[in-house]
Amino acid sequence: MSSTHSAETLISTLLQVTEDRIVPLTRSGVSSGSKVFGAAILNRLDLSPVTVSTNNERVSPLLHGEINCIQEFFASPAEGRPATRDCVFFATHEPCSLCLSGITWAGFNQFYYLFTYEDSRDLFSIPYDIDILQEVFRVPAPSDTPETLAARPLYNRKNKFFTAKSLADLLQDIPDETQRRHWAAEIERVKGLYSSLNERYQQGKQAGAESASIWK
């Protein structure tokens, strides 16, 4: 199945799914220890949501938003469920190494995200996505200096398994400058919804909210 959607349509749909579906789920989970990460799987044909989920680290440290979403997707009846190659995967935050592997092994070949790794570190005080990729997977070549190693991408955003883009990347595919500014503002507005969610998460973390994850 192939269906091409404009950058505007993709941005509009993914922001709406975030605001209407992911944020409410996340709001109910963060105060009890789960992080602010969510995900959605959409039918590539019409961009209708198939599965929407959020982080559930209260139960298991492996149930990141993306992994939880994939688990729920495959737990649904196979009859009528689209093949992963016929879906678009969306993560509110750029997927960590665990979730990159989960997306790949599940067969999703295209995904988008709202917040970058740097956002997760700087805005949400959650640096582990970058830390793990750097400490475990970024192996220096003999010729590397600290500068050249630091300049190397953490992973290939376009490879034989998937293509990954942030919503900010999608903005560059909108030819009209007025529309580009409009959707840039909408991206920032929806990002702003996470400020109160993060505040609640940080308060719960400081209060010792129950979570199976040791990385908080």
Side-chain angles (χ1 to χ4, degrees), residues 23-167:
V23 166
L25 287 174
T26 304
R27 185 177 292 119
S28 66
V30 293
S31 59
S32 56
S34 289
K35 293 186 178 70
V36 294
F37 303 155
I41 297 167
L42 295 84
N43 191 312
R44 192 191 303 272
L45 183 63
D46 59 3
L47 295 182
S48 58
V50 179
T51 307
V52 181
S53 192
T54 190
N55 183 291
N56 196 12
E57 289 183 9
R58 292 166 296 170
V59 173
S60 167
L62 300 184
L63 290 180
H64 293 195
E66 297 93 318
I67 299 300
N68 203 27
C69 194
I70 292 169
Q71 292 281 75
E72 291 182 7
F73 176 82
F74 283 103
S76 65
E79 184 178 354
R81 185 181 69 211
T84 54
R85 66 178 178 275
D86 296 328
C87 294
V88 170
F89 198 97
F90 172 69
T92 57
H93 296 66
E94 192 168 8
C96 71
S97 54
L98 167 67
C99 297
L100 286 174
S101 295
I103 290 167
T104 304
W105 278 105
F108 296 101
N109 58 23
Q110 183 181 37
F111 73 81
Y112 300 95
Y113 54 91
L114 180 60
F115 293 98
T116 65
Y117 289 141
E118 291 75 18
D119 290 331
S120 294
R121 179 192 63 199
D122 300 339
L123 300 178
F124 298 92
S125 300
I126 302 174
Y128 310 115
D129 300 341
I130 291 178
D131 288 350
I132 291 172
L133 284 166
Q134 288 178 330
E135 293 294 326
V136 178
F137 297 101
R138 183 179 263 176
V139 180
S143 59
D144 265 324
T145 65
E147 291 75 21
T148 60
L149 186 63
R152 190 184 304 164
L154 292 171
Y155 69 100
N156 294 318
R157 290 176 174 83
K158 186 173 183 179
N159 56 69
K160 74 174 186 178
F161 296 108
F162 60 72
T163 298
K165 286 186 176 183
S166 69
L167 296 197

Side-chain angles (χ1 to χ4, degrees), residues 5-26:
H5 300 281
S6 69
E8 292 177 69
T9 298
L10 282 167
I11 292 172
S12 174
T13 302
L14 295 176
L15 290 180
Q16 184 175 2
V17 169
T18 302
E19 184 170 9
D20 295 347
R21 301 284 301 277
I22 299 176
V23 166
L25 287 174
T26 304

